[in-house]
Amino acid sequence: MTKPIRKTLATLAVLLAGLPVATLAQEANIGTSFVENFDKINRKIWYISDGWDNGAHQNCTWSKKQVAVQNGVLELTFEQRKAGKRDYACGEIQTLKRFGYGTYEARIKTAEGSGLNSAFFTYIGPTDKKPHDEIDFEVLGKDTGKVQVNQYISAKGGNEKLVDVEGGANAAFNDYAFVWERDRLRYYVNGALVQDVTDPAKIPVNAQKIFFSLWGTDTLSDWMGKFDYHGPATMQIDRFAFTAPGDKCQFPESITCKL
């Protein structure tokens, strides 16, 4: 190794050593700003979950057949159909890349039905050789008049808050957004700030993948309601956007245009 290269590496090591742990955690494989209008499913961005479930609490198997685009809207469906080990099939889509600090915005019309969960969230965990970090919007079909916000830090949750969705999350499209910074996490519903987290111990630090999912349960009835199937259910996503810190807002209605 030549002397200039050794000097460069030594300088880099000193610079990295001075960075906070949270900053270092955001460095690898970070996605850039983008807007997804779901004219199609871009396989360079999205991966469709297919052929497994997330555990005994989930009464459906992820199936690519439950994921489709119709008239510029992503549709995730839940239906009674034998799939894998389950009697029901459900839909999920996730990004291939991880994303870090920035603004995450989704325009969603949720499903209804007790025992169902329409979720927009970010997640990373042990399967990616990282701690379990997560940031959530979840509408439980037992009460579509509310959305639950929550976050996990190294698998520790307990930060749930129920927020009203005027008119019902299933009745029309609503806008859900969070702004994730190293020292602050803000949740918005239809442009209104509904949760402001400033305790560093309650803010995730690891870059995460972006998920949309619709699933059901037979066992988590205290939380999601008793499962009560009345036919196929659909969650619709009209638009998603990620805006990295410092980038301009990417569409007129974006919360980043107002902040």
Side-chain angles (χ1 to χ4, degrees), residues 19 26 31 64 70 81 111 136 163 170 182 216 236 241:
L19 288 174
Q26 295 274 312
K64 61 185 180 182
Q70 299 287 342
R81 178 173 67 80
D136 299 320
V163 177
N170 65 311
R182 187 165 67 90
Q236 297 179 303

Side-chain angles (χ1 to χ4, degrees), residues 40-258:
K40 62 178 182 178
I41 298 176
N42 186 341
R43 294 304 185 98
K44 294 181 179 180
I45 297 175
W46 302 100
Y47 174 78
I48 298 174
S49 300
D50 184 58
W52 73 90
D53 57 74
N54 286 3
H57 66 279
Q58 184 175 321
N59 68 2
C60 58
T61 297
W62 301 125
S63 172
K64 61 185 180 182
K65 294 181 180 180
Q66 309 305 128
V67 179
V69 167
Q70 299 287 342
N71 300 317
V73 175
L74 174 67
E75 294 190 345
L76 305 179
T77 53
F78 181 100
E79 67 175 341
Q80 188 169 21
R81 178 173 67 80
K82 184 69 176 179
K85 301 176 183 178
R86 303 288 188 257
D87 293 327
Y88 297 89
C90 49
E92 178 180 76
I93 191 171
Q94 57 181 284
T95 54
L96 295 167
K97 287 188 176 182
R98 305 172 193 180
F99 293 78
Y101 299 132
T103 302
Y104 297 70
E105 304 175 84
R107 186 164 178 78
I108 302 171
K109 183 179 179 182
T110 67
E112 62 179 302
S114 185
L116 297 183
N117 187 331
S118 299
F120 154 46
F121 63 103
T122 57
Y123 167 83
I124 203 72
T127 55
D128 298 290
K129 298 181 180 179
K130 287 287 186 179
H132 174 184
D133 279 6
E134 187 172 338
I135 302 173
D136 299 320
F137 280 101
E138 295 174 288
V139 174
L140 310 179
K142 68 177 184 179
D143 183 2
T144 54
K146 298 182 183 297
V147 60
Q148 178 181 283
V149 300
N150 188 26
Q151 69 272 5
Y152 287 82
I153 302 88
S154 294
K156 183 179 180 181
N159 304 300
E160 298 90 347
K161 179 180 179 180
L162 284 172
V163 177
D164 290 335
V165 181
E166 187 175 354
N170 65 311
F173 283 96
N174 291 275
D175 295 307
Y176 306 90
F178 64 86
V179 181
W180 178 24
E181 300 168 301
R182 187 165 67 90
D183 56 359
R184 192 177 186 186
L185 175 60
R186 286 168 284 173
Y187 295 88
Y188 294 83
V189 175
N190 291 324
L193 179 65
V194 297
Q195 177 80 311
D196 194 350
V197 183
T198 56
D199 181 352
K202 295 185 177 182
I203 300 174
V205 299
N206 291 289
Q208 303 170 46
K209 295 178 182 179
I210 301 159
F211 290 75
F212 293 97
S213 65
L214 173 62
W215 59 281
T217 186
D218 293 321
T219 61
L220 302 177
S221 55
D222 287 347
W223 176 44
M224 288 172 51
K226 184 179 179 181
F227 182 67
D228 188 17
Y229 184 74
H230 288 288
T234 302
M235 173 186 181
Q236 297 179 303
I237 303 95
D238 183 42
R239 179 183 59 229
F240 172 77
F242 168 74
T243 307
D247 286 359
K248 294 180 180 179
C249 64
Q250 302 180 88
F251 58 96
E253 302 86 2
S254 173
I255 196 75
T256 59
C257 300
K258 303 173 184 179

